Amino acid sequence: MALVIENVTKLVEKDCHINDISLQLEPGTFNVLLGRTLSGKTTLMRLMAGLDKPTKGRILMNGQDLTGVSVRERDVAMVYQQFINYPSMTVYKNIASPLRLAKVAKAEIDRKVRDVAEMLRIEKLLDRMPAELSGGQQQRTAIARALVKDAELLLLDEPLVNLDYKLREELRAEMHEIFKRRNSIVVYATTEPPEALALGGNTAVLYEGRLEQFGPTVDVYQHPQSTRIAQAFSDPAMNFVAGSVDATNLRLGDAMPSALEQHLNGLKPGKYQFGMRANHLQLQSRTATDIEFQANIDLAEISGSETFVHVTHNGAAWTVQQQGIHQYQIDEQIKVYVNQARLYVFDLDGHLVASPDNASRQLT
Amino acid sequence: MNKWEDNKAWFMVIPVFLVVAVSAILPLMTVVNYSLQDIFGPDQRVFVGLEWYKDALTDSRLHDALKRQLMFSSLVLLIEIPLGILIALMMPKKGWGASLSLVLVALPLLIPWNVIGTIWIIFMRPDIGLLGAAVNGLGIPFDHTASPFAAWVTVMLMEVWHWTPLVVLLAYAGLQAIPEAYFQAARIDGASAWSTFRYIQLPKMRGVLTIAVLLRFMDSFLIYAEPFVLTGGGPGNSTTFLSIYLVKLAVGQFDLGPAAAFSIIYFLIVLLFCWLFYQVLLKVGTGDKP
C-alpha cells in the first residue's frame, strides 16, 4: 500500500529532467522534496500525479501499475505556487467542486466543506469570491479544495512561496495539524531548507533530476551523504575548507594544527574536505580548542536579528551567521573560529565520511 | 518655497491642456454653438435655441437610422464576441502555428477601411464576384445593390470578417495569460472541457472581453467608411446608419445646425451605452448583482 516510483526517467526534448529515480512513499507520511529551482521537483510531482508520462520506468500505486493512466482516473489532489481557484465561484463552491464532479450527495458535500473550511480557518469566508480574499486566504481555499477530496496522493508544489513572510510562518505552523490525521501520502516540494526542517517527516533531496538522498528529515540534515546534499540542505550554503588529517593532528586551511577529537578520531590519515554550517562559524573564540582562521570581510548583511558576514579565507568564500546586529568594515581582517565538534568531513569525491554525532548540541 | 513647487506642476500639465483644448474641447464647443443657431452663411446666423434638438428628436428618418444602428450593433456583438472566443480557443497556443495563425487572423485589420468596402463590392458582385456569382450560380438571387436583405447580409459579413479578428486577438491574449496550473488543476479535479471553459477560461477573460465588447460596440455604432463605400446607405435607406445619415445632413444638405444638434445627441447616446455596458460587465461573474 504505497506509491512506488521505479527507475523513472523523464526526458523533454533530450533534456533530462528526471534521471532514474526510485522512491517509495508510504500512506500517512509527510514527504518533502527539497531541491533548488530546476532540480526536478515539479516534474517529479507531475509524474506522480499522472499529468505527464515518464519516458522510462513505472509508477505504481498500491501495487497497481499507473504509468499510463490519465490524471482523471487517479485519486490525486494538488496545490500550486500560484493561488489556483475558480475565479467565478464562491469559496464554498470552490471547495465543493471536486466533490460535485465526483457526484457526492449534497448533505455529505456540505458537511465535508464546512469541516475542512473550519480546519483551515476560512469558515467565515465561504460566501466570498476568491478575488476578495488575501493571498493567504486564497491559498487556504486552494488547500481546502485539495484536502476535501481525501485523495490517496496529495501534492503541494511550493504552496507557501508566494505568501509574505508572516503568512508563510503562520500557515506552515498549521501544516502539521492539517496533515497529521490523514492517511494520504503527502508530498511537499520546497527550495528552502528551513521549511523542510520545520515540516519534518521525510525529505528527498533532488539535484539536477537525480534523487540524492531520502530519509527522515532530521537524519538527512544531520548526515548529508555528499557535499551536494549538504549544500542543498543548508541555508546559507555550507562552507567548505580543504584540510588533512595525520595520525594525531587535524590541519584546516591556514589554521594551526590541532589534536583530533571526538568524531574525527577514527579518520584515516589523508586529505579531506571539511564542511561547516554558517551558524557554527563564530567571530569569538568560545573554548580553547576552537580552530582559528584569518579571514577578510567582503560584506556584512543584516537580516532580522542576525548578521550574515561574508568572508574570504584562502580564496574560499564563507558565510558566518552571527546572532544580533553587528557592523563591519569591508576588507577588515577578522578571525573566524570553528569547533571541531561541528565539522562535517567529506572525502575528495564529496562523500560523507564523518558528521557531528551530538545532534542536540549541533542544533544550538 | 512649497508654494512655488506646487505651482511648478502646472507647467507640466498646461501643454497637455492646450492640446486637448484645441483638439477636443474647442471643436466640441463649436458644435454646441452651431447646434443652437441657424446658419445661412459665414456672417448670417440666427439664434434658434433648442429648435434643432426638437427637430432631431422628432425626425422619423433619424429614428429609423437609430433603430438600424441598434440592430446592427447588437448583431455585431452577438456574432463577433462568441465567434472571436471560439476562434481564439481553437488557435494553437505555441510554436510556429501560433505565430502563423496570429498573422493570418490579423490580416483584415491591416487593410484600410475604404479598401475593405471596395474588396467586398467586387467579392459580392452577382456577375463576377467570387461569392456573389457563386450564390447566384446556386439559383439564389443575391444582389446587395437591389435587395435590402442582401445588402444587410453583405454589410454584416464584411463587418464580421473585418472586426472579429480584433476580438480574437484580445481573447487570445486573455487565454495566453492564464497560468498553466489552472488547466492542470481542472484536469486533476476531473473537470470537462466545457467546465474548464465556463469556470476558468471565461472568467479569466472577463477583463479583455469587457474591452472587446466596448470597442466593438463603439466602433460598430460609429461605422461609416465600409457601408458608405459598399452600399452608400442603400438600397433606399436600408443600410443608412447614423453616421451616414449625419454626413448626408451635414455635407449633402449643408444643414449645419441640425447636423450639429444631431452630433451632440449621437455622442450622448454612445456615451450612455458605453457607460451601461461598462457597469454591467464590471459586475458580471463577481457575485454582485448587475
Side-chain angles (χ1 to χ4, degrees), chain A residues 46 72 76 80 86 129 149, chain B residues 182 184 188-189 191 199 286:
Chain A
R46 292 177 58 99
R72 287 175 208 276
V76 184
Y80 302 84
Y86 295 107
M129 303 303 276
K149 253 179 113 173
Chain B
Y182 276 91
Q184 282 180 33
I188 287 178
D189 279 358
Y199 295 112
T286 58

Side-chain angles (χ1 to χ4, degrees), chain A residues 91-97 99 108-119 123 126 144 148:
Chain A
V91 170
Y92 183 97
K93 283 190 178 164
N94 258 291
I95 301 175
S97 64
L99 299 178
E108 175 86 355
I109 291 182
D110 192 63
R111 191 181 58 76
K112 285 190 167 175
V113 168
R114 286 180 197 282
D115 269 5
V116 76
E118 198 178 326
M119 189 158 71
E123 70 271 23
L126 288 174
V148 82

Side-chain angles (χ1 to χ4, degrees), chain A residues 46 49-52 71-72 74 76-78 80 82-89 97-98 100-101 129 132 145 149 155, chain B residues 179-193 195-196 198-204 206 285-288:
Chain A
R46 292 177 58 99
L51 287 162
D52 287 331
V71 63
R72 287 175 208 276
R74 299 197 193 187
V76 184
M78 193 157 175
Y80 302 84
Q82 303 102 317
F83 315 134
I84 305 294
N85 292 303
Y86 295 107
S88 61
M89 292 184 187
S97 64
R100 297 213 309 204
L101 285 164
M129 303 303 276
E132 301 168 326
R145 222 182 64 232
K149 253 179 113 173
L155 304 166
Chain B
E180 180 57 29
Y182 276 91
F183 299 107
Q184 282 180 33
R187 275 170 70 195
I188 287 178
D189 279 358
S192 62
S195 305
T196 307
R198 169 68 185 79
Y199 295 112
I200 294 174
Q201 291 171 314
L202 197 57
K204 282 273 160 194
R206 212 184 84 213
T286 58
D288 293 346

Side-chain angles (χ1 to χ4, degrees), chain B residues 167-190:
Chain B
V167 182
V168 174
L169 293 184
L170 285 167
Y172 188 71
L175 285 173
Q176 293 285 60
I178 304 174
E180 180 57 29
Y182 276 91
F183 299 107
Q184 282 180 33
R187 275 170 70 195
I188 287 178
D189 279 358

Side-chain angles (χ1 to χ4, degrees), chain A residues 42-322:
Chain A
T42 303
T43 314
L44 188 57
M45 286 199 150
R46 292 177 58 99
L47 292 171
M48 287 177 177
L51 287 162
D52 287 331
K53 254 179 82 174
T55 315
K56 266 185 248 155
R58 297 198 302 163
I59 292 171
L60 303 134
M61 190 70 163
N62 305 333
Q64 192 192 345
D65 191 345
L66 287 183
T67 312
V69 176
S70 122
V71 63
R72 287 175 208 276
E73 329 271 300
R74 299 197 193 187
D75 194 10
V76 184
M78 193 157 175
V79 178
Y80 302 84
Q81 264 181 43
Q82 303 102 317
F83 315 134
I84 305 294
N85 292 303
Y86 295 107
S88 61
M89 292 184 187
T90 61
V91 170
Y92 183 97
K93 283 190 178 164
N94 258 291
I95 301 175
S97 64
L99 299 178
R100 297 213 309 204
L101 285 164
K103 308 237 170 356
V104 177
K106 263 223 159 107
E108 175 86 355
I109 291 182
D110 192 63
R111 191 181 58 76
K112 285 190 167 175
V113 168
R114 286 180 197 282
D115 269 5
V116 76
E118 198 178 326
M119 189 158 71
L120 282 153
R121 304 193 198 164
I122 45 173
E123 70 271 23
K124 293 203 176 79
L125 307 171
L126 288 174
D127 295 330
R128 302 260 197 103
M129 303 303 276
E132 301 168 326
L133 303 178
S134 73
Q137 292 165 339
Q138 288 185 38
Q139 193 64 318
R140 280 168 190 271
T141 306
I143 295 175
R145 222 182 64 232
L147 286 176
V148 82
K149 253 179 113 173
D150 241 335
E152 285 177 310
L153 179 60
L154 176 55
L155 304 166
L156 300 116
D157 190 1
E158 301 187 47
L160 305 183
V161 87
N162 284 345
L163 293 174
D164 69 61
Y165 175 75
K166 271 275 166 238
L167 285 170
R168 197 186 308 177
E169 300 276 291
E170 196 181 300
L171 200 50
R172 184 193 292 156
E174 286 175 44
M175 287 279 179
H176 278 293
E177 205 50 41
I178 293 170
F179 296 115
K180 208 169 63 183
R181 289 169 290 154
R182 309 222 145 237
N183 203 30
S184 323
I185 301 168
V186 182
V187 183
Y188 186 108
T190 182
T191 55
E192 294 173 31
E195 190 156 287
L197 281 170
L199 291 165
N202 301 316
T203 290
V205 179
L206 295 183
Y207 183 86
E208 289 183 354
R210 278 186 303 275
L211 176 64
E212 295 281 327
Q213 189 173 353
F214 179 60
T217 303
V218 176
D219 225 42
V220 177
Y221 183 77
Q222 288 176 345
H223 308 290
Q225 291 304 307
S226 69
T227 48
R228 246 188 232 146
I229 299 163
Q231 288 283 29
F233 206 160
S234 193
D235 182 40
M238 191 176 267
N239 304 300
F240 287 99
V241 62
S244 62
V245 166
D246 58 29
T248 51
N249 282 323
L250 165 70
R251 262 170 223 279
L252 290 186
D254 282 354
M256 298 287 285
S258 53
L260 288 172
E261 281 178 30
Q262 296 174 26
H263 69 293
L264 303 182
N265 252 326
L267 289 179
K268 282 186 206 143
K271 290 186 170 178
Y272 294 98
Q273 303 178 65
F274 294 87
M276 305 168 288
R277 293 201 191 269
N279 55 325
H280 293 151
L281 290 177
Q282 302 150 19
L283 298 179
Q284 286 93 33
S285 170
R286 291 200 187 133
T287 61
T289 56
D290 280 354
I291 299 164
E292 178 186 309
F293 299 99
Q294 290 291 334
N296 184 49
I297 296 186
D298 294 333
L299 178 70
E301 21 167 12
I302 294 163
S303 162
S305 60
E306 294 173 332
T307 309
F308 293 96
V309 188
H310 298 270
V311 302
T312 323
H313 169 77
N314 250 0
W318 293 350
T319 309
V320 181
Q321 188 176 355
Q322 196 186 11

Side-chain angles (χ1 to χ4, degrees), chain B residues 13-199:
Chain B
V13 179
I14 281 171
V16 182
F17 265 152
L18 288 176
V19 170
V20 173
V22 172
S23 66
I25 299 174
L26 289 184
L28 189 65
M29 293 328 288
T30 314
V31 175
V32 172
N33 187 22
Y34 281 6
S35 72
L36 302 171
Q37 305 187 52
D38 197 353
I39 299 165
F40 303 103
D43 295 317
Q44 297 168 282
R45 42 180 77 185
V46 183
F47 184 77
V48 294
L50 294 176
E51 192 69 27
W52 300 134
Y53 287 91
K54 273 184 221 153
D55 275 9
L57 289 173
T58 52
D59 180 355
S60 67
R61 280 186 303 173
L62 198 157
H63 292 173
D64 291 344
L66 179 62
K67 277 180 215 151
R68 263 178 234 125
Q69 190 71 65
L70 285 172
M71 172 83 168
F72 179 70
S73 289
S74 312
L75 282 172
V76 161
L77 290 181
L78 285 175
I79 296 171
E80 289 183 10
I81 300 292
L83 185 64
I85 295 172
L86 191 70
I87 294 174
L89 284 171
M90 292 190 305
M91 275 163 61
K93 279 190 141 185
K94 51 187 166 199
W96 61 270
S99 323
L100 181 71
S101 52
L102 275 176
V103 171
L104 286 179
V105 161
L107 275 180
L109 296 173
L110 305 176
I111 303 170
W113 298 3
N114 52 347
V115 175
I116 287 196
T118 314
I119 290 174
W120 280 81
I121 288 183
I122 299 167
F123 190 49
M124 296 306 277
R125 270 181 67 152
D127 49 355
I128 57 161
L130 194 59
L131 187 60
V135 171
N136 280 289
L138 291 172
I140 306 161
F142 190 92
D143 183 358
H144 67 266
T145 57
S147 129
F149 176 75
W152 265 81
V153 169
T154 307
V155 172
M156 281 312 301
L157 273 177
M158 175 180 66
E159 163 68 29
V160 167
W161 175 81
H162 188 185
W163 285 111
T164 307
L166 181 73
V167 182
V168 174
L169 293 184
L170 285 167
Y172 188 71
L175 285 173
Q176 293 285 60
I178 304 174
E180 180 57 29
Y182 276 91
F183 299 107
Q184 282 180 33
R187 275 170 70 195
I188 287 178
D189 279 358
S192 62
W194 166 251
S195 305
T196 307
F197 172 71
R198 169 68 185 79
Y199 295 112

